[in-house]
Amino acid sequence: MSESDDGNLSVVYVSGNQGMLDDVKELWEELNSMLLQCSVNFKPHFGTMTFEKRKLALLKKTEHGEIHVDVAVNQLGNQKVGYCISTINEQKEGEIESIFVEKGYRGLRIGDALMRKAVAWMDSKDVEKKLVSVSVGNEQVFGFYGRYSFCPRRTMLEQTKNL
Ligand SMILES: CC(C)(COP(=O)(O)OP(=O)(O)OC[C@H]1O[C@@H](n2cnc3c(N)ncnc32)[C@H](O)[C@@H]1OP(=O)(O)O)[C@@H](O)C(=O)NCCC(=O)NCCS
């Protein structure tokens, strides 16, 4: 556990592995609702996605890899206010799977701390590359990722319905 003081706000960071996934269920659901709202072509995907499905997919992806979870906790009230889930797959590719900070806590460098912790974890594991997927409609986050040298590389298209 590590601490950082943001004015009167005292945030502690707790890290762990897949055993901590359930701790971020509510925050993940807020992120999924946000992505549902801003999605252009994939609203049904976000509308039918559940935390349980996402968790299963993460566990499957990392059967021969690893999951890392960082959670930001406001010590006042012991409230979870942000998280980042990162993974390393069998090919040694690191990925920021999900990062979210509660609206009222943004701009306080919590996202920065979460991002740096995730990247430091990947670096400690000597990953081959580091990736993050951004949903179309949420491009506003490019500027944030750009601060950590994550840049758009390709646009992947996915079929929305069968011909
Ligand atoms: C993206 C997010 C995690 C950033 O968290 P945060 O705690 O507000 O970020 P920080 O306060 O640590 O900001 C760190 C720096 O990035 C900058 N920054 C934050 N969001 C930014 C954005 N969308 N575009 C450009 N810069 C941004 C901040 O200004 C700050 O810069 P500074 O060091 O010059 O002050 C948060 O806005 C969020 O949860 N967004 C919604 C969820 C989301 O889109 N997740 C990504 C899914 S792919």
Side-chain angles (χ1 to χ4, degrees):
M1 191 182 285
S2 60
E3 287 195 37
S4 85
D5 278 309
D6 305 285
N8 289 329
L9 183 68
S10 181
V11 175
V12 291
Y13 293 90
V14 186
S15 346
N17 58 17
Q18 60 268 24
M20 270 180 63
L21 283 173
D22 288 341
D23 293 357
V24 304
K25 180 175 189 280
E26 282 78 19
L27 291 174
W28 177 89
E29 285 169 347
E30 282 188 48
L31 172 63
N32 195 59
S33 300
M34 189 205 97
L35 295 174
L36 168 64
Q37 277 187 4
C38 68
S39 179
V40 180
N41 295 306
F42 285 86
K43 284 194 190 291
H45 165 83
F46 294 106
T48 55
M49 182 52 75
T50 62
F51 179 76
E52 285 66 31
K53 280 194 216 169
R54 182 70 173 115
K55 182 177 161 184
L56 271 181
L58 284 170
L59 293 175
K60 190 161 180 224
K61 174 180 175 178
T62 54
E63 247 169 19
H64 303 288
E66 287 184 71
I67 296 183
H68 182 79
V69 181
D70 289 295
V71 183
V73 182
N74 180 2
Q75 283 195 297
L76 191 67
N78 201 26
Q79 184 197 358
K80 295 176 195 104
V81 296
Y83 75 90
C84 180
I85 301 171
S86 36
T87 58
I88 300 174
N89 67 12
E90 202 172 358
Q91 288 73 43
K92 281 260 176 197
E93 292 169 340
E95 183 157 354
I96 305 289
E97 299 282 351
S98 189
I99 182 167
F100 180 79
V101 174
E102 280 269 33
K103 249 192 180 142
Y105 290 84
R106 291 186 192 157
L108 299 172
R109 311 208 62 81
I110 295 172
D112 179 71
L114 291 168
M115 197 65 193
R116 288 185 190 281
K117 283 173 193 294
V119 167
W121 174 69
M122 290 179 196
D123 284 338
S124 77
K125 302 281 179 180
D126 288 328
V127 295
E128 297 285 335
K129 58 170 91 165
K130 301 180 196 107
L131 305 164
V132 61
S133 286
V134 174
S135 302
V136 170
N138 194 30
E139 293 79 2
Q140 58 82 24
V141 80
F142 280 0
F144 173 76
Y145 288 132
R147 305 177 68 86
Y148 310 95
S149 303
F150 284 78
C151 300
R153 174 160 181 195
R154 65 171 78 84
T155 301
M156 185 180 286
L157 310 187
E158 184 177 329
Q159 193 183 32
T160 54
K161 57 179 169 38
N162 292 331
L163 294 180

